[in-house]
Amino acid sequence: MEKTSSDAQSSLASATNGSFSESEKASRESTDPARLVSITGVRFHFIIAAICICLFIITIEITIVNTALITIANDLRSFHLSSWVVTAYLLTYVGFLIIISKLSDIVGRKSVLLASVATFTIWAGACGAAQTTEQLIVFRAFKGIGAAGVFSSSMIIIFELITPEKIPKAAAGVSVVFAFALVLGPIFGGAINESSSWRWCFLFNVPVGTVVLLIFTLLLPRNFPYQDSQRPRATGVASSIRARIDWLGAVLVLGASVLLVVALENAGLRHPWKSALVVAPLTISGVMWVLLLAWEWKVTRDDGTREPVFPWRFIENRVSFGMMLTIFLLGPPSVVAIFSIPQRFQVVNNMSPLAAGVRILPYTAVSPISSMVVTAIAGKFKIPPVYLVIFCSICQTVGFALLATVPITETILISQYGYQALAAFGCGANMTLLTIMTPYMVTKKDAAVAQGSIGQLRYMGAAIGVSIVTCVLNSYVQNHLSSILSPTQVEGLLRSSGMISLLPVELQSPVRLLYAEAYNLQMKVLIGFSAAQVPAALLMWQKNQVVLGT
């Protein structure tokens, strides 16, 4: 690297408007390397492999379920509720990422990681046994809590296992794991639906999670990353947890997110926009967001025992704020596309889940390629990551703009695959770039919460994005179907898209084309999120840009 991580962090802090205080700078050096446990050899490789498997299964959870969602919804007869199967997982994932990151600081990495993997595995089994959509939504919400813990703990442990100069390579490696999960998820989901029950989309996690749990139990040191006899201990762990965790901040984040999604999911479908059941949650959500900002400002300024779920330092520092805002805006394009494109192939083009999974490969396969390419370019040619983030945001915008103009037809155009690839290049590259930049943006004190914030903000954006595009699709379809179908037929379609094949032949094509128009509208929503990343990324612009080495 051109600079070590600590040098880069120091340069970045001094170059930005919201520079860190002397006490915060000093905290970077507060961890004595002699007190940290060193893991090498076969043990190291087994732990890294287990972490990669964990990150893989919590990421493939999104893509594998998205591909199988039409089948699940049709089997449980609840197409209009299908998006909640996705958003329930994302919301609890978002709500618990930072709080679990902080818990790992207090009670130890290993304890939190084991509990998280166990939670994810148990509720995966419950999802596979669900008998109704409502049950599946609840079980997926609990599974999301486990996934949040797995992600935050795993990411922190990875960066504690390696030396600072290897951070860019490690971040790129993690991004490749995520990307391959995106590639294989749609194919696995489609194949499972074709060869057996959709329930195996969840049940396969049980044996995998059990093996990973065994590896961590046997090989990860009890007090990692500290030597057993040197781990800092608080007097009374329970009281320490109560004092340090920002419980109110966590509740406000989760409550504001849930209420916003509830309002968007209901608006225009089950209730009109002016309904109290839409206006009330929207209003309360807005108030909670304002209260959250005020509370986090107070907790950060108090500088006491309580540790904020989202330090105000991230907002005061223009560069770190720009990074956080960009990752939030990246959430909807990166996740919604994987949610929407396979659905279009199944509903509009009448394809099987497996065929739809194969046809989204241009999107999911280009993502890992772009992750590797941009990392190599940034390192070899010493190009500041912020330049590449802006370029990739433009690629996203153009790609989704082209997808929004796909002709309204039941025929698949070859050009659609190219449009997917262009949008995916921008999304995949930005995920890697922003992950790599994170360690350079914060102090040692905020390292754990910053890693949690990256995942939290991305999936918060994704959850909100899914709810917005679902609202767009449901409202558009319901408003326009009533002109060609009876109320009974409309109700049937909202429960199962498979009902299209049971309609009279002369009505099937108009209905599919109506859905095609709705899916194009969804892509237009993603244009806005992609384009907004450009001014957000410009906030990271500074006189002395961070440059990554090879």
Side-chain angles (χ1 to χ4, degrees):
M1 292 182 61
E2 183 171 306
K3 300 180 180 180
T4 64
S5 290
S6 59
D7 289 339
Q9 286 179 332
S10 299
S11 298
L12 185 59
S14 62
T16 54
N17 291 339
S19 58
F20 300 115
S21 67
E22 290 301 320
S23 61
E24 289 168 338
K25 291 177 183 177
S27 70
R28 297 179 188 175
E29 309 301 330
S30 62
T31 302
D32 181 5
R35 300 180 62 197
L36 303 181
V37 65
S38 177
I39 300 176
T40 58
V42 175
R43 188 183 191 185
F44 173 84
H45 293 296
F46 264 102
I47 293 173
I48 288 293
I51 288 175
C52 288
I53 291 171
C54 282
L55 295 175
F56 181 84
I57 62 176
I58 66 171
T59 305
I60 201 174
E61 174 76 11
I62 298 171
T63 54
I64 200 172
V65 172
N66 283 353
T67 306
L69 200 56
I70 295 291
T71 302
I72 296 171
N74 290 344
D75 184 43
L76 299 178
R77 299 193 59 77
S78 55
F79 183 70
H80 62 297
L81 294 175
S82 61
S83 63
W84 271 106
V85 177
V86 177
T87 52
Y89 181 82
L90 294 176
L91 283 172
T92 50
Y93 195 117
V94 163
F96 286 86
L97 264 174
I98 296 225
I99 192 169
I100 294 178
S101 294
K102 281 299 179 185
L103 278 173
S104 73
D105 283 342
I106 299 168
V107 302
R109 309 287 191 234
K110 182 173 182 176
S111 298
V112 170
L113 181 59
L114 291 180
S116 299
V117 173
T119 300
F120 183 86
T121 304
I122 291 168
W123 290 106
C127 288
Q131 299 300 307
T132 66
T133 302
E134 288 77 10
Q135 288 180 4
L136 182 57
I137 290 170
V138 172
F139 297 159
R140 283 271 285 169
F142 282 107
K143 194 177 180 184
I145 297 174
V150 171
F151 176 83
S152 58
S153 301
S154 296
M155 293 298 292
I156 295 167
I157 289 172
I158 283 178
F159 290 112
E160 290 174 335
L161 279 170
I162 62 175
T163 54
E165 62 269 14
K166 294 181 179 179
I167 286 178
K169 290 183 179 180
V174 167
S175 296
V176 170
V177 171
F178 291 152
F180 276 110
L182 298 180
V183 172
L184 297 177
I187 298 175
F188 284 1
I192 288 172
N193 277 276
E194 295 254 333
S195 60
S196 59
S197 169
W198 57 264
R199 298 181 185 278
W200 283 102
C201 292
F202 305 105
L203 294 177
F204 89 94
N205 289 311
V206 177
V208 176
T210 302
V211 171
V212 167
L213 199 61
L214 182 62
I215 292 174
F216 288 137
T217 301
L218 296 177
L219 299 182
L220 192 65
R222 181 167 61 91
N223 288 324
F224 181 86
Y226 298 96
Q227 301 285 354
D228 285 352
S229 61
Q230 295 176 316
R231 184 179 188 275
R233 297 180 183 275
T235 303
V237 173
S239 60
S240 174
I241 293 175
R242 287 195 297 270
R244 291 179 63 184
I245 290 295
D246 180 10
W247 297 107
L248 179 58
V251 170
L252 288 172
V253 166
L254 187 59
S257 301
V258 169
L259 288 171
L260 177 59
V261 170
V262 166
L264 293 174
E265 292 277 359
N266 283 310
L269 179 61
R270 287 179 287 276
H271 306 288
W273 278 94
K274 294 181 179 180
S275 168
L277 294 175
V278 175
V279 174
L282 273 178
T283 303
I284 297 172
S285 175
V287 171
M288 292 181 78
W289 285 118
V290 174
L291 290 175
L292 174 66
L293 291 174
W295 175 251
E296 294 309 298
W297 177 84
K298 180 181 185 302
V299 172
T300 304
R301 291 296 183 187
D302 287 348
D303 199 22
T305 303
R306 184 180 289 109
E307 300 176 8
V309 296
F310 192 81
W312 191 258
R313 293 181 290 274
F314 293 170
I315 297 176
E316 286 182 323
N317 185 311
R318 174 177 56 80
V319 176
S320 62
F321 175 72
M323 182 186 68
M324 299 292 178
L325 180 58
T326 306
I327 200 73
F328 172 82
L329 294 169
L330 176 63
S334 61
V335 174
V336 170
I338 304 169
F339 170 83
S340 180
I341 294 173
Q343 280 199 4
R344 179 182 183 126
F345 284 129
Q346 292 177 68
V347 176
V348 177
N349 306 114
N350 197 26
M351 291 187 167
S352 68
L354 178 58
V358 170
R359 282 167 174 77
I360 197 179
L361 276 177
Y363 187 92
T364 56
V366 167
S367 188
I369 294 172
S370 67
S371 297
M372 292 182 283
V373 168
V374 296
T375 302
I377 291 175
K380 183 175 182 179
F381 298 102
K382 303 298 186 289
I383 300 176
V386 66
Y387 299 167
L388 295 173
V389 169
I390 294 171
F391 172 75
C392 292
S393 299
I394 294 172
C395 289
Q396 288 177 54
T397 305
V398 175
F400 287 116
L402 293 170
L403 284 170
T405 60
V406 171
I408 307 302
T409 173
E410 294 177 66
T411 303
I412 298 176
L413 303 180
I414 299 298
S415 58
Q416 286 179 246
Y417 302 129
Y419 304 160
Q420 285 185 45
L422 181 58
F425 181 88
C427 290
N430 271 2
M431 277 190 284
T432 299
L433 291 166
L434 293 164
T435 301
I436 289 175
M437 295 171 74
T438 302
Y440 299 92
M441 300 296 183
V442 298
T443 64
K444 181 79 174 178
K445 176 181 179 180
D446 289 328
V449 73
Q451 290 295 340
S453 295
I454 285 294
Q456 182 190 41
L457 288 169
R458 180 182 170 225
Y459 285 110
M460 181 186 295
I464 293 172
V466 168
S467 63
I468 290 174
V469 299
T470 300
C471 177
V472 167
L473 183 139
N474 286 336
S475 298
Y476 186 86
V477 168
Q478 187 177 42
N479 290 337
H480 290 77
L481 280 179
S482 57
S483 63
I484 57 177
L485 299 179
S486 67
T488 303
Q489 290 172 322
V490 172
E491 181 66 22
L493 278 176
L494 292 176
R495 291 188 174 277
S496 171
S497 64
M499 292 293 294
I500 296 177
S501 300
L502 301 179
L503 293 173
V505 176
E506 66 274 11
L507 291 178
Q508 291 182 21
S509 184
V511 170
R512 294 189 191 280
L513 295 181
L514 189 63
Y515 272 96
E517 293 175 0
Y519 286 118
N520 278 7
L521 283 177
Q522 289 186 334
M523 294 299 105
K524 291 179 180 179
V525 173
L526 299 188
I527 295 172
F529 281 105
S530 297
Q533 290 174 46
V534 176
L538 287 173
L539 291 173
M540 294 187 283
W541 197 279
Q542 54 187 322
K543 184 177 180 180
N544 299 315
Q545 301 287 359
V546 169
V547 178
L548 304 178
T550 54

